[in-house]
């Protein structure tokens, strides 16, 4: 589990570095928000059962996670409507 977490951290760091090169500020913001949401989802997934989500996630991670779930569910709705 630890190796997998470190691997994800490396991938997220690389993607974040790539997003820093994006010129469009709105695109950069949406990309970073999505990555923070995915990271929060993985953090929840890798959490031990006795840990509290509220104590482990900061405010920005919670907002990004909710945003990411909303976008993902909207995408699923759109695919279903196709």
């Amino acid at each position: 589990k630890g190796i997998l977490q470190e691997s994800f951290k490396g991938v997220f760091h690389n993607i974040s570095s790539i997003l820093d090169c994006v010129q469009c500020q709105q695109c950069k913001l949406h990309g970073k928000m999505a990555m923070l949401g995915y990271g929060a989802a993985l953090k929840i997934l890798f959490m031990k059962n006795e840990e509290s989500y509220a104590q482990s996630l900061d405010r920005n991670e919670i907002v990004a996670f909710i945003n990411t779930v909303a976008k993902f569910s909207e995408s699923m709705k759109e695919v279903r409507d196709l």
Side-chain angles (χ1 to χ4, degrees), residues 44-56:
I44 290 169
L45 184 65
F46 288 125
M47 248 182 240
K48 292 180 175 65
N49 289 339
E50 62 271 2
E51 289 184 65
S52 168
Y53 299 135
Q55 293 173 345
S56 298

Side-chain angles (χ1 to χ4, degrees), residues 32-38 40 59-69:
K32 292 229 178 201
M33 185 70 118
M35 292 308 300
L36 187 59
Y38 298 143
R59 182 179 183 273
N60 290 334
E61 288 174 319
I62 293 169
V63 169
F65 176 71
I66 292 170
N67 241 353
T68 301
V69 169

